[in-house]
């Protein structure tokens, strides 16, 4: 067996709950391991557009996302099926917790991830429906990288206002 991410959504007034929907892919497991998906986080903007992101095991743990966007008609983005469609850089181990904020058209995704197989650093990805999510490299972390200030712990928080201004607060080993 494997762990998968599921959801139900309630839309409309009065709202009607959908059937159960599997969000995460079943195939593509790496290194002979089941393709476990864990740690979902969901954010919705004032227009009902939604993003769900989660951690999934491939050759390493990666961060995936799916978006419910409304441009003309509303629909969910395609199911990610390979490590190449991950938000996080490939090759290192992403971990949680995963944080999301969604205001207006901007989505902010924050997670911690092992960099070079040793230290854990904090990463972010900012996405819009127009530009999508840019490719993130191993060196695009937002935490400090100076001397011994390299280990970011799993207690961090994000906030974003309606203008898309954002703050990330985190604890880092000194």
């Amino acid at each position: 067996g494997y762990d998968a991410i599921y959801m139900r959504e309630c839309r409309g007034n009065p709202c009607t709950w959908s059937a159960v929907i599997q969000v995460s892919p079943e195939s593509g497991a790496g290194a002979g391991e089941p393709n476990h998906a864990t740690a979902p986080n969901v954010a919705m903007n004032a227009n009902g557009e939604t993003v769900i992101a989660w951690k999934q095991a491939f050759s390493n743990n990666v961060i995936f996302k799916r978006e419910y966007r409304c441009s003309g008609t509303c629909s969910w983005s395609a199911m990610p099926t390979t490590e190449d469609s991950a938000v996080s850089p490939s090759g290192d181990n992403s971990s949680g917790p995963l944080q999301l904020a969604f205001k207006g058209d901007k989505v902010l995704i924050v997670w911690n991830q092992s960099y070079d197989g040793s230290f854990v650093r904090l990463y972010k990805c900012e996405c819009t429906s127009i530009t999508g999510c840019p490719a993130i490299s191993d060196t695009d972390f937002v935490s400090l990288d100076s001397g011994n200030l390299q280990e970011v712990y799993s207690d961090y928080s994000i906030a974003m206002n309606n203008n898309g201004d954002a703050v990330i607060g985190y604890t880092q080993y000194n």
Side-chain angles (χ1 to χ4, degrees):
Y2 62 92
D3 297 319
I5 305 300
Y6 296 90
M7 71 172 189
R8 292 185 73 184
E9 55 186 340
C10 183
R11 299 191 184 271
N13 188 9
C15 96
T16 304
W17 284 96
S18 71
V20 173
I21 301 166
Q22 183 169 342
V23 176
S24 59
E26 296 178 18
S27 61
E33 294 296 319
N35 198 14
H36 294 289
T38 59
N41 200 321
V42 180
M44 181 182 285
N45 70 11
N47 299 325
E49 293 180 315
T50 309
V51 173
I52 184 167
W54 66 94
K55 177 177 71 171
Q56 186 137 7
F58 272 77
S59 57
N60 284 299
N61 289 326
V62 296
I63 304 296
F64 281 133
K65 69 157 181 62
R66 290 187 67 191
E67 298 179 73
Y68 180 83
R69 296 285 192 159
C70 299
S71 55
T73 60
C74 300
S75 63
W76 281 98
S77 60
M79 172 95 64
T81 56
T82 67
E83 209 169 329
D84 292 338
S85 53
V87 173
S88 56
S90 62
D92 288 319
N93 218 6
S94 300
S95 57
L98 176 65
Q99 301 272 331
L100 285 178
F102 195 179
K103 303 291 182 181
D105 189 46
K106 183 177 176 181
V107 176
L108 177 62
I109 305 170
V110 178
W111 68 95
N112 53 11
Q113 179 167 336
S114 171
Y115 172 73
D116 70 13
S118 57
F119 295 107
V120 175
R121 306 222 170 110
L122 198 62
Y123 288 81
K124 67 147 178 74
C125 184
E126 298 174 68
C127 313
T128 71
S129 63
I130 296 168
T131 62
C133 288
I136 304 295
S137 77
D138 280 342
T139 58
D140 288 336
F141 48 86
V142 296
S143 50
L144 292 170
D145 183 29
S146 145
N148 291 326
L149 299 174
Q150 296 181 348
E151 189 77 17
V152 173
Y153 297 109
S154 60
D155 56 333
Y156 50 90
S157 183
I158 64 174
M160 188 164 38
N161 69 13
N162 290 334
N163 297 325
D165 303 324
V167 174
I168 303 170
Y170 58 94
T171 302
Q172 186 162 359
Y173 177 74
N174 183 349

